[in-house]
Amino acid sequence: MVKTAPYGTWESPITAESIVQNSVRVDDVIVDPVTSAIYHIENRPNQGGRNVVVKTEDKYGGAATKAYNGVVYFSNFKDGRVYAVKEGGQPEAITPESEVHRFADFAIHPTQNHLVVAILEDHTKPNPADVLTSLCFINTKTKTVHPLVSGADFYAAPSFSPDGKHLVWQQWYHPDMPWEGGEVHVSEVSYDATKDEVSVSNAKLVGGKRGQASATHPFWVNNDTFVFTVDTSGFQNPSLYTVSTGQAKPIISPKAIDEDFSLPGWTLGNAYGVVAHAGDDTTQCTLLYTAFREGRSRLYLLTLHSGAVEELVCPYVTIQSVRRVADGNIVFIGGKTDQSPALVQCSLKDYSTPHFTSLTAVKATSAPAASLSQPHSITLTVEGQPLYVVYYPPTNVEYRGPEGELPPAVMNVHGGPTSHEVQGLNMTIQYFTSRGFAWIGVDYGGSSGHGRKYIERLKGNWGIVDTRDCVLAAQGLSSAPHTLIDAKRVVIRGGSSGGYTVLQALCEYPTTFAAGASLFGISDLVKLAEFTHKFESQYMAKLLGGFVDEIPEVYRERSPVNNASKIKSPLLIQQGILDAVVPPAQAEYIVKLIKANNGSVEYVVYEGEGHGWRKAETIKAALEKELHFYEGVLKLKQ
């Protein structure tokens, strides 16, 4: 018998404890190009947030990782050194001891396997502006590190051609981020047997232009050609470069597709496309690519010679870390709306209909399938411009809401801020929807996956466009023609930069939201500019319209800590004691200001935690606290 009960009061089998018990997450996939062995990286909150590299039941440990010819290379977070390990063996350090070096994104020379190219961060001068990033090569025999390419502010995605005679990589310069002005370069590679070292020469710019176009994610098709994506059309679409002719051309023709075939490079090692069928030459070659449309990942087969594009039937709404195993055999991390992400093998032996097989166990949920809320992509129109949201209705097979009642809603603001909402199964969302809350994920202006122009909406307008779009999303979904939520019972929550938008929204629109929850959210932009790391050290200048010494008044005006007296809605702040990005002192100060103005605020600090929750016990406690806070504010349970 289905029970009728007020929204937000439903009993749910999904508990915080059940979520953390099944919280092991597949973060990346690594394929050995020589042996075709498949590995994956697991993040394990139940082990203090540790990352491990897994092949079947053999565990190695590490972070940034590469597998080649039976050897796994990884960068160890604790000491910054690179290690190599063979199956059944013990990890062996292959770089010298150093307290100031960091390595990532490895490329192994195809004929001289003991030479490994990597990104090197040199923190000899720890001030973010003084940290030096370059491409180096590691000689694993002598365990020495040597310079290779330098001069740019950042590097990513180094990759050797199959014969080892060319090297391709991405680089970019401040004040650009990689999705704003990333450049793809290719150079000739020489090997000196006497010195046992490699060198590069005749480097050429292939695609991308500072501040105007971003080229990214290159990979080789054969010794003479490689593929990358570039957003000259307004969307990241694949292009082909031929080394022998020095020419680049779009693969999809005659007109680009208004979808992004790669997403902003917030982390290293992402892959969105691979060679599906190599063929004898490029006329017989096909590529498998994932792209992003209407809030979901799509899967495409591209014919390299003709530019033909075929969308494949695919049950996965999130696809990441696409890797080639062999001809017609690809693996990726795939998530469905009703299943947690898993390592998936995609077989394309017949060139058309793909066959999918899960290589890792699909975690069972603590709720029946009928109680899992399904996402709905909704495009609102605001002042003639699109605003993208993902809506999850309250769903529980045992309950329904009273006739005529609209549900309370939890509005989630993603971080980044250049990130986006995804629609794969997220048990935190189901934790709330199964209790009778609606859930709204907002892709405010500045979010990725909707083209370059949409990202650039936030340029100079951080703290304005994002907060306005959250307010407009709440208004749009609570009124005709949608009328899906109760406008008076919308709470807003977010972490990191999402937490900043939460605080800013409560300051600038004090009557819109019934409550807010800031999870390690930024409150002081001046302090953030002072302490942030090199990668983002000039990002804020783009987002706010200048550097803090140029426009200090803007940084102060858009810092919630300076407008805390405007906050009228109850606020929950959750914080890690070891957070270096948002030091606890910032959270404590804004709490003090709110209390001084007789505002309602709860502050919870977690010991042993930094920026974002890693440990299972913290995830559990924070989630339970958040639910209890909303119930109290909305007076759902008396």
PDB file of all heavy atoms in Angstrom, residues 37-58:
ATOM      1  N   ALA A  37      47.145  -5.324 -20.860  1.00  0.00           N
ATOM      2  CA  ALA A  37      46.613  -5.495 -19.506  1.00  0.00           C
ATOM      3  C   ALA A  37      45.851  -4.245 -19.083  1.00  0.00           C
ATOM      4  O   ALA A  37      46.248  -3.123 -19.407  1.00  0.00           O
ATOM      5  CB  ALA A  37      47.746  -5.772 -18.529  1.00  0.00           C
ATOM      6  N   ILE A  38      44.749  -4.450 -18.375  1.00  0.00           N
ATOM      7  CA  ILE A  38      43.897  -3.340 -17.947  1.00  0.00           C
ATOM      8  C   ILE A  38      44.031  -3.170 -16.431  1.00  0.00           C
ATOM      9  O   ILE A  38      43.955  -4.129 -15.672  1.00  0.00           O
ATOM     10  CB  ILE A  38      42.427  -3.610 -18.320  1.00  0.00           C
ATOM     11  CG1 ILE A  38      42.289  -3.813 -19.834  1.00  0.00           C
ATOM     12  CG2 ILE A  38      41.544  -2.462 -17.853  1.00  0.00           C
ATOM     13  CD1 ILE A  38      40.919  -4.314 -20.239  1.00  0.00           C
ATOM     14  N   TYR A  39      44.228  -1.925 -16.019  1.00  0.00           N
ATOM     15  CA  TYR A  39      44.288  -1.566 -14.606  1.00  0.00           C
ATOM     16  C   TYR A  39      43.255  -0.456 -14.370  1.00  0.00           C
ATOM     17  O   TYR A  39      42.839   0.220 -15.307  1.00  0.00           O
ATOM     18  CB  TYR A  39      45.672  -1.036 -14.227  1.00  0.00           C
ATOM     19  CG  TYR A  39      46.831  -1.950 -14.547  1.00  0.00           C
ATOM     20  CD1 TYR A  39      47.363  -2.011 -15.828  1.00  0.00           C
ATOM     21  CD2 TYR A  39      47.413  -2.739 -13.562  1.00  0.00           C
ATOM     22  CE1 TYR A  39      48.427  -2.836 -16.136  1.00  0.00           C
ATOM     23  CE2 TYR A  39      48.491  -3.570 -13.849  1.00  0.00           C
ATOM     24  CZ  TYR A  39      48.994  -3.611 -15.138  1.00  0.00           C
ATOM     25  OH  TYR A  39      50.059  -4.434 -15.435  1.00  0.00           O
ATOM     26  N   HIS A  40      42.893  -0.256 -13.135  1.00  0.00           N
ATOM     27  CA  HIS A  40      42.075   0.903 -12.807  1.00  0.00           C
ATOM     28  C   HIS A  40      42.470   1.436 -11.440  1.00  0.00           C
ATOM     29  O   HIS A  40      43.021   0.716 -10.606  1.00  0.00           O
ATOM     30  CB  HIS A  40      40.573   0.599 -12.863  1.00  0.00           C
ATOM     31  CG  HIS A  40      40.096  -0.402 -11.861  1.00  0.00           C
ATOM     32  ND1 HIS A  40      40.159  -1.759 -12.069  1.00  0.00           N
ATOM     33  CD2 HIS A  40      39.521  -0.240 -10.639  1.00  0.00           C
ATOM     34  CE1 HIS A  40      39.657  -2.401 -11.028  1.00  0.00           C
ATOM     35  NE2 HIS A  40      39.259  -1.488 -10.147  1.00  0.00           N
ATOM     36  N   ILE A  41      42.207   2.728 -11.257  1.00  0.00           N
ATOM     37  CA  ILE A  41      42.508   3.384  -9.981  1.00  0.00           C
ATOM     38  C   ILE A  41      41.229   3.490  -9.173  1.00  0.00           C
ATOM     39  O   ILE A  41      40.205   3.957  -9.669  1.00  0.00           O
ATOM     40  CB  ILE A  41      43.103   4.780 -10.207  1.00  0.00           C
ATOM     41  CG1 ILE A  41      44.434   4.675 -10.963  1.00  0.00           C
ATOM     42  CG2 ILE A  41      43.309   5.505  -8.883  1.00  0.00           C
ATOM     43  CD1 ILE A  41      45.060   6.013 -11.290  1.00  0.00           C
ATOM     44  N   GLU A  42      41.289   3.029  -7.938  1.00  0.00           N
ATOM     45  CA  GLU A  42      40.148   3.122  -7.024  1.00  0.00           C
ATOM     46  C   GLU A  42      40.425   4.155  -5.948  1.00  0.00           C
ATOM     47  O   GLU A  42      41.520   4.195  -5.370  1.00  0.00           O
ATOM     48  CB  GLU A  42      39.876   1.772  -6.351  1.00  0.00           C
ATOM     49  CG  GLU A  42      39.327   0.705  -7.283  1.00  0.00           C
ATOM     50  CD  GLU A  42      38.997  -0.582  -6.547  1.00  0.00           C
ATOM     51  OE1 GLU A  42      39.288  -0.653  -5.330  1.00  0.00           O
ATOM     52  OE2 GLU A  42      38.479  -1.509  -7.179  1.00  0.00           O
ATOM     53  N   ASN A  43      39.428   4.985  -5.673  1.00  0.00           N
ATOM     54  CA  ASN A  43      39.471   5.879  -4.522  1.00  0.00           C
ATOM     55  C   ASN A  43      38.671   5.224  -3.405  1.00  0.00           C
ATOM     56  O   ASN A  43      37.520   4.829  -3.606  1.00  0.00           O
ATOM     57  CB  ASN A  43      38.874   7.242  -4.866  1.00  0.00           C
ATOM     58  CG  ASN A  43      38.822   8.158  -3.659  1.00  0.00           C
ATOM     59  OD1 ASN A  43      37.853   8.156  -2.907  1.00  0.00           O
ATOM     60  ND2 ASN A  43      39.866   8.933  -3.479  1.00  0.00           N
ATOM     61  N   ARG A  44      39.279   5.093  -2.218  1.00  0.00           N
ATOM     62  CA  ARG A  44      38.665   4.332  -1.130  1.00  0.00           C
ATOM     63  C   ARG A  44      38.489   5.182   0.128  1.00  0.00           C
ATOM     64  O   ARG A  44      39.397   5.284   0.956  1.00  0.00           O
ATOM     65  CB  ARG A  44      39.520   3.109  -0.805  1.00  0.00           C
ATOM     66  CG  ARG A  44      39.648   2.142  -1.989  1.00  0.00           C
ATOM     67  CD  ARG A  44      40.527   0.969  -1.669  1.00  0.00           C
ATOM     68  NE  ARG A  44      40.521  -0.011  -2.760  1.00  0.00           N
ATOM     69  CZ  ARG A  44      41.235  -1.128  -2.756  1.00  0.00           C
ATOM     70  NH1 ARG A  44      42.030  -1.406  -1.723  1.00  0.00           N
ATOM     71  NH2 ARG A  44      41.170  -1.962  -3.775  1.00  0.00           N
ATOM     72  N   PRO A  45      37.318   5.821   0.278  1.00  0.00           N
ATOM     73  CA  PRO A  45      37.060   6.602   1.486  1.00  0.00           C
ATOM     74  C   PRO A  45      37.180   5.785   2.761  1.00  0.00           C
ATOM     75  O   PRO A  45      37.551   6.320   3.811  1.00  0.00           O
ATOM     76  CB  PRO A  45      35.627   7.100   1.272  1.00  0.00           C
ATOM     77  CG  PRO A  45      35.465   7.120  -0.204  1.00  0.00           C
ATOM     78  CD  PRO A  45      36.229   5.928  -0.696  1.00  0.00           C
ATOM     79  N   ASN A  46      36.846   4.481   2.698  1.00  0.00           N
ATOM     80  CA  ASN A  46      36.953   3.640   3.889  1.00  0.00           C
ATOM     81  C   ASN A  46      38.395   3.391   4.311  1.00  0.00           C
ATOM     82  O   ASN A  46      38.648   2.839   5.379  1.00  0.00           O
ATOM     83  CB  ASN A  46      36.248   2.297   3.653  1.00  0.00           C
ATOM     84  CG  ASN A  46      34.745   2.416   3.821  1.00  0.00           C
ATOM     85  OD1 ASN A  46      34.273   3.010   4.781  1.00  0.00           O
ATOM     86  ND2 ASN A  46      33.990   1.882   2.882  1.00  0.00           N
ATOM     87  N   GLN A  47      39.346   3.783   3.446  1.00  0.00           N
ATOM     88  CA  GLN A  47      40.762   3.683   3.792  1.00  0.00           C
ATOM     89  C   GLN A  47      41.389   5.075   3.831  1.00  0.00           C
ATOM     90  O   GLN A  47      42.525   5.279   3.400  1.00  0.00           O
ATOM     91  CB  GLN A  47      41.486   2.789   2.781  1.00  0.00           C
ATOM     92  CG  GLN A  47      40.987   1.347   2.787  1.00  0.00           C
ATOM     93  CD  GLN A  47      41.702   0.477   1.767  1.00  0.00           C
ATOM     94  OE1 GLN A  47      42.726   0.840   1.203  1.00  0.00           O
ATOM     95  NE2 GLN A  47      41.150  -0.703   1.526  1.00  0.00           N
ATOM     96  N   GLY A  48      40.617   6.015   4.334  1.00  0.00           N
ATOM     97  CA  GLY A  48      41.119   7.369   4.501  1.00  0.00           C
ATOM     98  C   GLY A  48      41.293   8.137   3.208  1.00  0.00           C
ATOM     99  O   GLY A  48      42.073   9.078   3.138  1.00  0.00           O
ATOM    100  N   GLY A  49      40.570   7.741   2.148  1.00  0.00           N
ATOM    101  CA  GLY A  49      40.681   8.433   0.876  1.00  0.00           C
ATOM    102  C   GLY A  49      41.859   7.979   0.039  1.00  0.00           C
ATOM    103  O   GLY A  49      42.243   8.638  -0.924  1.00  0.00           O
ATOM    104  N   ARG A  50      42.440   6.832   0.357  1.00  0.00           N
ATOM    105  CA  ARG A  50      43.616   6.329  -0.362  1.00  0.00           C
ATOM    106  C   ARG A  50      43.254   5.926  -1.780  1.00  0.00           C
ATOM    107  O   ARG A  50      42.169   5.411  -2.038  1.00  0.00           O
ATOM    108  CB  ARG A  50      44.192   5.117   0.395  1.00  0.00           C
ATOM    109  CG  ARG A  50      45.508   4.608  -0.151  1.00  0.00           C
ATOM    110  CD  ARG A  50      46.110   3.611   0.827  1.00  0.00           C
ATOM    111  NE  ARG A  50      45.389   2.343   0.833  1.00  0.00           N
ATOM    112  CZ  ARG A  50      45.822   1.232   0.220  1.00  0.00           C
ATOM    113  NH1 ARG A  50      46.946   1.254  -0.458  1.00  0.00           N
ATOM    114  NH2 ARG A  50      45.131   0.113   0.292  1.00  0.00           N
ATOM    115  N   ASN A  51      44.174   6.161  -2.726  1.00  0.00           N
ATOM    116  CA  ASN A  51      44.029   5.681  -4.099  1.00  0.00           C
ATOM    117  C   ASN A  51      44.894   4.446  -4.292  1.00  0.00           C
ATOM    118  O   ASN A  51      46.035   4.406  -3.844  1.00  0.00           O
ATOM    119  CB  ASN A  51      44.484   6.744  -5.104  1.00  0.00           C
ATOM    120  CG  ASN A  51      43.511   7.901  -5.195  1.00  0.00           C
ATOM    121  OD1 ASN A  51      42.321   7.715  -5.022  1.00  0.00           O
ATOM    122  ND2 ASN A  51      44.010   9.091  -5.457  1.00  0.00           N
ATOM    123  N   VAL A  52      44.352   3.428  -4.968  1.00  0.00           N
ATOM    124  CA  VAL A  52      45.131   2.234  -5.273  1.00  0.00           C
ATOM    125  C   VAL A  52      44.949   1.881  -6.740  1.00  0.00           C
ATOM    126  O   VAL A  52      43.898   2.119  -7.328  1.00  0.00           O
ATOM    127  CB  VAL A  52      44.733   1.020  -4.398  1.00  0.00           C
ATOM    128  CG1 VAL A  52      45.005   1.290  -2.940  1.00  0.00           C
ATOM    129  CG2 VAL A  52      43.277   0.637  -4.602  1.00  0.00           C
ATOM    130  N   VAL A  53      46.005   1.340  -7.338  1.00  0.00           N
ATOM    131  CA  VAL A  53      45.942   0.833  -8.702  1.00  0.00           C
ATOM    132  C   VAL A  53      45.678  -0.657  -8.623  1.00  0.00           C
ATOM    133  O   VAL A  53      46.374  -1.385  -7.911  1.00  0.00           O
ATOM    134  CB  VAL A  53      47.258   1.103  -9.452  1.00  0.00           C
ATOM    135  CG1 VAL A  53      47.156   0.582 -10.874  1.00  0.00           C
ATOM    136  CG2 VAL A  53      47.561   2.587  -9.451  1.00  0.00           C
ATOM    137  N   VAL A  54      44.671  -1.111  -9.353  1.00  0.00           N
ATOM    138  CA  VAL A  54      44.216  -2.492  -9.230  1.00  0.00           C
ATOM    139  C   VAL A  54      44.280  -3.210 -10.579  1.00  0.00           C
ATOM    140  O   VAL A  54      43.814  -2.701 -11.590  1.00  0.00           O
ATOM    141  CB  VAL A  54      42.768  -2.541  -8.691  1.00  0.00           C
ATOM    142  CG1 VAL A  54      42.278  -3.971  -8.586  1.00  0.00           C
ATOM    143  CG2 VAL A  54      42.667  -1.835  -7.351  1.00  0.00           C
ATOM    144  N   LYS A  55      44.874  -4.395 -10.569  1.00  0.00           N
ATOM    145  CA  LYS A  55      44.744  -5.320 -11.695  1.00  0.00           C
ATOM    146  C   LYS A  55      44.202  -6.616 -11.114  1.00  0.00           C
ATOM    147  O   LYS A  55      44.884  -7.272 -10.330  1.00  0.00           O
ATOM    148  CB  LYS A  55      46.088  -5.571 -12.379  1.00  0.00           C
ATOM    149  CG  LYS A  55      45.961  -6.560 -13.543  1.00  0.00           C
ATOM    150  CD  LYS A  55      47.327  -7.013 -14.020  1.00  0.00           C
ATOM    151  CE  LYS A  55      47.170  -8.044 -15.130  1.00  0.00           C
ATOM    152  NZ  LYS A  55      48.472  -8.631 -15.516  1.00  0.00           N
ATOM    153  N   THR A  56      43.002  -7.004 -11.503  1.00  0.00           N
ATOM    154  CA  THR A  56      42.262  -8.109 -10.871  1.00  0.00           C
ATOM    155  C   THR A  56      42.329  -7.930  -9.360  1.00  0.00           C
ATOM    156  O   THR A  56      41.775  -6.992  -8.827  1.00  0.00           O
ATOM    157  CB  THR A  56      42.786  -9.488 -11.335  1.00  0.00           C
ATOM    158  OG1 THR A  56      44.170  -9.610 -11.039  1.00  0.00           O
ATOM    159  CG2 THR A  56      42.561  -9.672 -12.820  1.00  0.00           C
ATOM    160  N   GLU A  57      43.050  -8.841  -8.650  1.00  0.00           N
ATOM    161  CA  GLU A  57      43.114  -8.755  -7.194  1.00  0.00           C
ATOM    162  C   GLU A  57      44.466  -8.245  -6.705  1.00  0.00           C
ATOM    163  O   GLU A  57      44.739  -8.248  -5.511  1.00  0.00           O
ATOM    164  CB  GLU A  57      42.844 -10.127  -6.566  1.00  0.00           C
ATOM    165  CG  GLU A  57      41.445 -10.639  -6.837  1.00  0.00           C
ATOM    166  CD  GLU A  57      40.376  -9.683  -6.345  1.00  0.00           C
ATOM    167  OE1 GLU A  57      40.524  -9.129  -5.242  1.00  0.00           O
ATOM    168  OE2 GLU A  57      39.390  -9.477  -7.068  1.00  0.00           O
ATOM    169  N   ASP A  58      45.328  -7.792  -7.609  1.00  0.00           N
ATOM    170  CA  ASP A  58      46.649  -7.319  -7.189  1.00  0.00           C
ATOM    171  C   ASP A  58      46.631  -5.817  -7.014  1.00  0.00           C
ATOM    172  O   ASP A  58      46.308  -5.081  -7.938  1.00  0.00           O
ATOM    173  CB  ASP A  58      47.720  -7.690  -8.227  1.00  0.00           C
ATOM    174  CG  ASP A  58      47.824  -9.186  -8.401  1.00  0.00           C
ATOM    175  OD1 ASP A  58      47.638  -9.903  -7.410  1.00  0.00           O
ATOM    176  OD2 ASP A  58      48.069  -9.613  -9.531  1.00  0.00           O
TER     177      ASP A  58
END
